[in-house]
Amino acid sequence: MEIVILAVVIAVVLVGAVSGLVVGGRRKKQLPPAERPSATPTITTPPAEPRVGDEAETPRDESRRTIEEVDLPAAEAPEAPPAEAEPAPAAPEVEVPEPTEGRLVRLRARLARSQNALGKGLLTLLSREHLDEDTWEEIEDTLLTADVGVVPTQELVERLRERVRVLGTRTPQELRTLLREELLKLVATDAPRAVKTDNGLETPAVVMVVGVNGTGKTTTTGKLARVLVADGKSVVLGAADTFRAAAADQLQTWGERVGARTVRGPEGGDPASIAFDAVKEGIAEHADVVLIDTAGRLHTKAGLMDELGKVKRVVEKQAPLDEVLLVLDATTGQNGLVQARVFAEVVNITGIVLTKLDGTAKGGIVVAVQRELGVPVKLIGLGEGPDDLAPFDPEAFVDALIGD
Ligand SMILES: Nc1nc2c(ncn2[C@@H]2O[C@H](COP(=O)(O)OP(=O)(O)O)[C@@H](O)[C@H]2O)c(=O)[nH]1
Ligand SMILES: [Mg+2]
């Protein structure tokens, strides 16, 4: 009798324990974050556009356990829950970019090569006791070598000659002031330098980045996204360089670092449809700015015009295109100017980004390209680091060239 009762008690306890475990198992099954049945990243139609940010929010080691897999370990290992709770998936780390204030001043050492070739070279020459024809020719050569361009060089030399003559005896300080003023005249323009990212409309500001391959478009787009995020703006990226899949990956990586969504499509897809989707996404999530990275295939002018024209048109169906930034590699000199001319004929450039000004002696290209296009340099790239992009400030630039 007692044995029977004992057996019944044991049975009840066992049933209870087992059902408890099963319930526990079911609950646990609900614990992992909502699984996404379709994580395939190549959907192209706008509504189904894969949202990169979504993927970033999902824990990387998201498990895909079946019901059987969940129940089995629970039945045999009651102490499983705490053990499983431990490997909490690390939240994707979003970086806080460096503030943009005074970046050029911080990065001025990067202009060292330009500085030695241009500013310091000129100061040294101007400080000579006798400024004879040979010296003036050397001054001219220095300017030309630094890619200032023929016409601006002649203008500058003429003004310097005149002012030095008036000055008579020259102290180093006077010469420095004089050179600073004259260089500033060459570099300064009346046009606003700020990248237009505030259009006062409901729709986001749209910035398109164009230029030849390898000049630094994608890098600049990524760095600019960081600048904007640092300034408290929300950004959506459009990977409209569909020529290589790697280009979209590269842009997406930049975006993920600062929590910006990247709209992308299949390799070889239509750049205009990506641009369209990116702006649409920007509007949907009330982003402040949409940055569109484009391909720089300069195969034919007609092809380029066709592609960029189409991107522009689809963007403008939804929101005004506020900026078209032309990215130029400062180390390519006159070649860069030729490229600039072609792009300017194809699309209405509103600002120039001069990349790779670090480690080149050709800082004078700032002057030449502004003259060439009649458009201000708005940003300069001073390295490959994520925060090596500075708003262009003529005074800080000239000061960096001449040195203290
Ligand atoms: N030193 C230096 N390298 C840069 C700068 N901007 C871009 N780059 C490098 O230039 C290369 C091409 O850049 P990328 O953005 O892929 O060019 P894209 O083909 O125009 O998109 C990369 O290795 C970049 O790191 C810069 O300001 N300074
Ligand atoms: Mg690129």
Side-chain angles (χ1 to χ4, degrees):
M1 190 59 178
E2 280 140 87
I3 290 167
V4 171
I5 292 171
L6 193 64
V8 167
V9 168
I10 288 171
V12 167
V13 167
L14 270 178
V15 166
V18 168
S19 63
L21 286 174
V22 170
V23 168
R26 286 223 181 91
R27 277 214 201 96
K28 225 156 42 70
K29 201 193 84 197
Q30 292 166 345
L31 274 180
E35 293 185 23
R36 282 159 209 283
S38 64
T40 39
T42 43
I43 310 156
T44 46
T45 47
E49 185 60 55
R51 298 180 158 204
V52 171
D54 283 351
E55 283 170 19
E57 282 155 21
T58 312
R60 267 180 224 124
D61 48 349
E62 179 188 5
S63 52
R64 300 183 155 274
R65 286 169 299 175
T66 61
I67 292 165
E68 292 78 39
E69 279 169 338
V70 171
D71 284 343
L72 279 177
E76 54 190 296
E79 69 274 26
E84 275 204 21
E86 260 172 349
E93 235 173 79
V94 173
E95 300 172 16
V96 180
E98 225 178 69
T100 51
E101 188 97 338
R103 263 198 201 183
L104 205 156
V105 172
R106 265 201 309 280
L107 293 168
R108 62 189 292 168
R110 301 278 175 85
L111 284 165
R113 287 233 244 156
S114 284
Q115 192 182 357
N116 291 333
L118 192 55
K120 290 236 177 87
L122 290 179
L123 268 185
T124 310
L125 287 168
L126 286 171
S127 306
R128 283 190 186 164
E129 194 91 26
H130 299 291
L131 287 174
D132 52 17
E133 280 309 310
D134 283 351
T135 307
W136 284 112
E137 225 162 82
E138 276 183 68
I139 289 173
E140 220 172 272
D141 287 347
T142 302
L143 289 160
L144 289 173
T145 307
D147 270 344
V148 170
V150 177
V151 177
T153 294
Q154 285 167 351
E155 285 175 17
L156 180 65
V157 168
E158 213 165 285
R159 281 205 300 266
L160 285 176
R161 287 185 87 141
E162 177 60 27
R163 289 191 63 178
V164 166
R165 191 165 45 236
V166 170
L167 206 62
T169 49
R170 320 172 288 276
T171 68
Q173 195 48 46
E174 279 169 333
L175 277 177
R176 197 187 169 282
T177 307
L178 186 154
L179 186 60
R180 185 181 187 277
E181 283 174 11
E182 293 302 330
L183 284 175
L184 206 49
K185 270 187 214 160
L186 280 189
V187 172
T189 67
D190 293 333
R193 299 271 176 186
V195 176
K196 197 175 163 199
T197 52
D198 199 358
N199 57 12
L201 302 171
E202 285 279 295
T203 51
V206 183
V207 178
M208 177 160 88
V209 180
V210 304
V212 168
N213 264 342
T215 51
K217 283 185 304 298
T218 305
T219 308
T220 297
T221 309
K223 288 174 176 174
L224 182 55
R226 294 176 68 89
V227 166
L228 295 170
V229 167
D231 290 346
K233 295 190 185 285
S234 59
V235 177
V236 168
L237 300 173
D241 178 358
T242 58
F243 199 52
R244 298 171 304 127
D249 291 342
Q250 188 190 352
L251 188 66
Q252 185 176 334
T253 303
W254 278 100
E256 279 170 357
R257 291 174 68 171
V258 287
R261 231 184 262 289
T262 302
V263 175
R264 55 184 294 181
E267 189 172 347
D270 178 19
S273 91
I274 307 291
F276 184 87
D277 291 351
V279 176
K280 190 172 174 183
E281 175 64 30
I283 293 170
E285 62 178 70
H286 303 288
D288 296 308
V289 187
V290 176
L291 300 178
I292 300 170
D293 183 25
T294 63
R297 283 166 298 155
L298 200 57
H299 44 329
T300 63
K301 202 174 123 185
L304 186 75
M305 193 179 295
D306 188 47
E307 184 164 315
L308 294 181
K310 216 164 133 197
V311 169
K312 181 173 147 65
R313 277 195 304 279
V314 300
V315 165
E316 288 177 339
K317 277 185 185 151
Q318 306 175 88
L321 181 57
D322 295 283
E323 284 271 4
V324 178
L325 295 178
L326 174 67
V327 179
L328 287 180
D329 178 340
T331 64
T332 59
Q334 295 305 308
N335 228 338
L337 287 185
V338 174
Q339 295 166 10
R341 223 169 286 147
V342 173
F343 275 91
E345 287 166 15
V346 168
V347 68
N348 184 29
I349 310 287
T350 59
I352 300 156
V353 182
L354 265 186
T355 59
K356 312 186 195 182
L357 266 174
D358 52 306
T360 175
K362 303 193 173 293
I365 192 79
V366 170
V367 176
V369 73
Q370 288 188 152
R371 289 274 179 120
E372 180 69 41
L373 300 188
V375 166
V377 170
K378 295 193 168 176
L379 298 164
I380 56 176
L382 289 163
E384 296 189 83
D387 293 324
D388 294 343
L389 181 78
F392 183 73
D393 170 4
E395 304 221 356
F397 182 74
V398 168
D399 282 340
L401 284 186
I402 307 180
D404 292 314

